[in-house]
Amino acid sequence: MKLTSKLGLSSVIAVGLGLLAGVSLAQDKVDHPNTTAGEVAYKGAPVATADLKRVISPGAPDMSEAEFEEATKLYFERCAGCHGVLRKGATGKPLTTDITQARGTEFLKVLINFGTPAGMPNWGTSGAFTEAQVDMMARFLQHEPPVPPQWGMKEMMETWKVIVPVADRPTKPQHKRDIDNMFAVTLRDSGEVAIIDGDSKDIIAVITTGYAVHISRPSDSGRYVYTIGRDAKIDMIDLFMDPPIVVASIKIGLEARSVETSKYKGYEDKVAIAGAYWPPQYVLMDGPTLEPKKIVSTRGMTVDTQEYHPEPRVAAIVASHEHPEFIVNVKETGKILLVNYSNMDALTVTTLEAARFLHDGGWDSSHRYFMTAANKSNKIAVVDSKERTIAALVDATKIPHPGRGANITDPKYGPVWVTSALGNENVTFIGTDPENHKDSAWKAVRVIKAQGGGSLFVKSHPKSTNLWIDNTLHPQTAVSQSIAVYDVNNLDAGYEVLPIAEWADLGEGPKRVVQPEYNVRGDEVWFSVWSGQEEESAIVVVDDKTRKLKHVIKDKRLITPTGKFNIYNTRKDVY
């Protein structure tokens, strides 16, 4: 990449990496007093108008440095998760310059503006990007991507904070609320998490966290919630306190998606793990304090072509119930790692070969088999956590995207695990009972229809006979603003559509409906109605039995709510 600038190449790259926050250095030091110089450079500082220079890659349209900075920020916030930091593709298609320059600016503008039914969001027509931003992104994608800096133990230690030492934390809850029925709700674009009481529907606290929290994982005991933002910041929230607060935090990289704590008997909550998208690595930490103990890189060879990959990102991580191990998905290489934490001075890692590109997944109903999507290979990998082997690779239709999936009892095939898809309308049922339903085990035994592609989550509950399917990324608003629900005992009857966004009674905005989540009793389903940062959003609570509106949670603090994690269901792997 050729850059004409008084700043020099390294400075321009630092400016170009205007990732996530887009704030000035001075303000960043005020808001984040423990921010390192490397992190500030990665986030980038604004370029003064007088200093604007042109940014040119061979064969690419011209861009100013200010445009390059803004586009880099938008790319990391909205696009890198699917297409990769280096744009080599994963859930989304590769966006390397040989491809993007051949397509050209006008083609890319149409794609960015309208999206696709295969899961590419309609960034323009939804209002997420302005017309000028759509044009800017189309030009940006034809330039070579800036390469972020690395992030090691020194950088982690500079960000690690124990705000409340373990000895100073309460020994019992300071309130009378039911912790098991609390929800941790991601407020995506405000960099916060709301803790909501599932009984009263009151917002107990809104807690500043990393940007765009991807998941919240309760500790095995349920006392702590570990959140991880897409900026790789982990916050450990103590639910015993009134109100809950962050008691420890650390930044384990520059982009991340996954965090988990140990669940094996005798090791409960002693070890925490987090996986980074950049740098591609995972980190083992002390559970109660988040002190980093060991960093392990995931760079290496792919399972199929046996070629080196520079960016094999860590996707889903789950804690084994059978061994003192974490099960770690390495997206781009297609490898699943069994990381034994019983002796971190002599770490043992078993590598299982699955398929590319590994993404999310969850347990079957027995909690023995980890079902995980290799979504661009259109397969579900089944990990036998007891025998520590790949039990099967099951074919699924285009781009399976299960989240944690859903476990139901199929009236014909017995216990099955369910995934929807980004790329089409199909919802796939996979048999999970090799003992009592051997003929159905590890096969796609049934395929039903959703409203279309762009589904992110399916959900059910052991006490329910409903199967809920969202279509958050579908380009048609009538679909993305509603939910489909099947009767598990009468699947042939088709689905009922509920107008969740209409029930929320909001003003302007995309109002995408995302992620069904049950309460602890399994009699309510919560949905996020996700609008823009400057628009009104809500959480809609539906009675699971009657499928009628029960409650709408509205509050000016509910900014861009997305993922919701019920404490009991998440820590007990109930889905």
Side-chain angles (χ1 to χ4, degrees):
M1 179 167 64
K2 296 181 181 178
L3 303 172
T4 305
S5 174
K6 295 182 292 184
L7 299 174
L9 178 59
S10 61
S11 296
V12 170
I13 289 177
V15 169
L17 289 166
L19 174 62
L20 305 176
V23 295
S24 71
L25 174 61
Q27 185 61 44
D28 199 17
K29 297 303 288 185
V30 170
D31 292 342
H32 304 282
N34 294 304
T35 303
T36 65
E39 183 183 0
V40 174
Y42 189 53
K43 288 184 175 179
V47 179
T49 304
D51 293 332
L52 293 182
K53 300 295 175 184
R54 312 306 289 175
V55 179
I56 303 172
S57 286
D62 214 9
M63 295 189 78
S64 70
E65 287 178 9
E67 287 179 319
F68 194 80
E69 176 191 1
E70 182 181 355
T72 303
K73 174 180 180 290
L74 288 173
Y75 180 82
F76 277 95
E77 287 181 349
R78 305 294 191 182
C79 314
C82 287
H83 297 285
V85 172
L86 303 180
R87 303 190 202 151
K88 293 184 178 294
T91 305
K93 293 183 180 297
L95 294 174
T96 49
T97 55
D98 59 318
I99 297 171
T100 56
Q101 289 184 14
R103 295 291 189 270
T105 301
E106 293 307 313
F107 176 92
L108 294 171
K109 283 169 63 177
V110 171
L111 188 67
I112 295 166
N113 191 54
F114 293 102
T116 72
M120 169 76 178
N122 52 326
W123 296 117
T125 58
S126 71
F129 288 179
T130 65
E131 184 177 346
Q133 286 174 325
V134 169
D135 177 76
M136 179 179 63
M137 292 301 293
R139 289 180 287 126
F140 171 76
L141 293 176
Q142 298 173 69
H143 290 263
E144 292 293 335
V147 179
Q150 301 302 312
W151 193 269
M153 185 62 76
K154 176 179 178 293
E155 290 80 6
M156 288 186 201
M157 292 301 294
E158 288 175 347
T159 67
W160 174 50
K161 292 179 64 177
V162 178
I163 296 102
V164 181
V166 174
D168 295 340
R169 299 172 194 172
T171 58
K172 60 182 180 180
Q174 297 178 323
H175 54 80
K176 296 186 182 299
R177 302 183 188 95
D178 181 3
I179 289 177
D180 273 346
N181 203 29
M182 289 181 181
F183 289 75
V185 180
T186 295
L187 306 181
R188 187 192 187 281
D189 291 345
S190 67
E192 296 171 314
V193 162
I195 305 298
I196 301 180
D197 181 5
D199 295 324
S200 68
K201 313 298 188 291
D202 292 337
I203 298 176
I204 302 168
V206 174
I207 299 168
T208 300
T209 59
Y211 171 78
V213 162
H214 189 67
I215 58 172
S216 296
R217 285 290 180 263
S219 61
D220 184 75
S221 67
R223 171 179 185 165
Y224 298 112
V225 171
Y226 297 77
T227 69
I228 190 161
R230 294 193 176 204
D231 58 357
K233 183 172 182 282
I234 302 172
D235 291 286
M236 182 181 179
I237 301 167
D238 189 351
L239 299 181
F240 274 16
M241 294 186 174
D242 191 17
I245 66 169
V246 173
V247 293
S249 65
I250 191 172
K251 191 169 168 60
I252 57 94
L254 296 171
E255 189 185 2
R257 294 295 187 278
S258 51
V259 66
E260 180 66 291
T261 59
S262 50
K263 293 184 177 180
Y264 186 67
K265 187 176 181 180
Y267 292 89
E268 294 94 333
D269 298 339
K270 290 185 178 180
V271 184
I273 185 173
Y277 267 25
W278 190 273
Q281 61 194 26
Y282 60 89
V283 184
L284 294 163
M285 297 161 283
D286 176 64
T289 66
L290 298 181
E291 179 182 3
K293 298 294 186 179
K294 189 172 290 290
I295 305 169
V296 183
S297 174
T298 55
R299 290 184 171 100
M301 315 307 283
T302 61
V303 297
D304 44 13
T305 57
Q306 297 287 298
E307 59 184 310
Y308 178 77
H309 199 291
E311 190 193 352
R313 299 172 291 172
V314 177
I317 301 176
V318 296
S320 173
H321 302 267
E322 301 283 351
H323 300 280
E325 291 178 336
F326 293 115
I327 302 175
V328 178
N329 279 356
V330 185
K331 184 186 287 281
E332 278 75 13
T333 59
K335 295 177 180 178
I336 298 175
L337 309 179
L338 308 181
V339 180
N340 189 301
Y341 50 75
S342 61
N343 183 358
M344 279 194 278
D345 292 328
L347 193 69
T348 301
V349 180
T350 300
T351 301
L352 305 179
E353 296 197 350
R356 302 169 72 188
F357 293 83
L358 293 163
H359 195 57
D360 284 342
W363 294 102
D364 80 309
S365 57
S366 73
H367 295 165
R368 172 173 172 173
Y369 299 100
F370 176 51
M371 315 285 292
T372 187
N375 50 27
K376 289 297 284 185
S377 296
N378 300 324
K379 293 185 182 295
I380 300 297
V382 182
V383 178
D384 183 341
S385 67
K386 183 176 181 179
E387 297 298 328
R388 307 172 72 249
T389 60
I390 297 289
L393 288 172
V394 184
D395 290 332
T397 54
K398 189 175 181 180
I399 317 181
H401 194 285
R404 289 170 287 173
N407 288 301
I408 65 173
T409 300
D410 185 283
K412 182 176 180 180
Y413 301 105
V416 297
W417 180 86
V418 182
T419 178
S420 56
L422 281 171
N424 55 46
E425 63 185 357
N426 292 333
V427 179
T428 303
F429 290 37
I430 297 172
T432 60
D433 184 6
E435 292 187 9
N436 300 310
H437 296 81
K438 186 176 181 179
D439 291 343
S440 304
W442 319 139
K443 297 175 184 177
V445 295
R446 187 190 294 270
V447 177
I448 62 175
K449 304 298 182 184
Q451 296 187 79
S455 174
L456 293 180
F457 298 101
V458 292
K459 187 59 62 76
S460 191
H461 190 278
K463 296 180 180 179
S464 173
T465 59
N466 287 325
L467 174 65
W468 305 86
I469 307 161
D470 70 18
N471 281 93
T472 311
L473 298 184
H474 197 283
Q476 296 179 10
T477 56
V479 177
S480 65
Q481 294 182 0
S482 62
I483 198 80
V485 55
Y486 274 90
D487 180 350
V488 170
N489 295 320
N490 190 16
L491 294 165
D492 293 336
Y495 56 77
E496 179 183 2
V497 177
L498 303 184
I500 302 298
E502 180 182 318
W503 286 349
D505 190 24
L506 302 172
E508 294 296 320
K511 294 174 286 196
R512 295 187 181 98
V513 173
V514 62
Q515 203 228 5
E517 180 77 351
Y518 277 87
N519 66 346
V520 67
R521 292 180 293 276
D523 59 8
E524 292 178 355
V525 193
W526 293 35
F527 301 91
S528 296
V529 184
W530 170 24
S531 280
Q533 191 167 1
E534 303 301 323
E535 296 154 336
E536 188 179 24
S537 295
I539 293 172
V540 171
V541 181
V542 175
D543 185 288
D544 181 70
K545 185 175 181 179
T546 65
R547 301 181 181 177
K548 302 296 184 183
L549 175 64
K550 188 171 183 178
H551 191 84
V552 178
I553 304 174
K554 290 184 181 181
D555 192 289
K556 64 181 180 181
R557 296 170 293 173
L558 284 180
I559 300 170
T560 59
T562 52
K564 302 165 299 303
F565 301 91
N566 174 266
I567 299 304
Y568 181 85
N569 293 335
T570 306
R571 73 184 179 92
K572 293 294 186 180
D573 298 311
V574 177
Y575 33 81

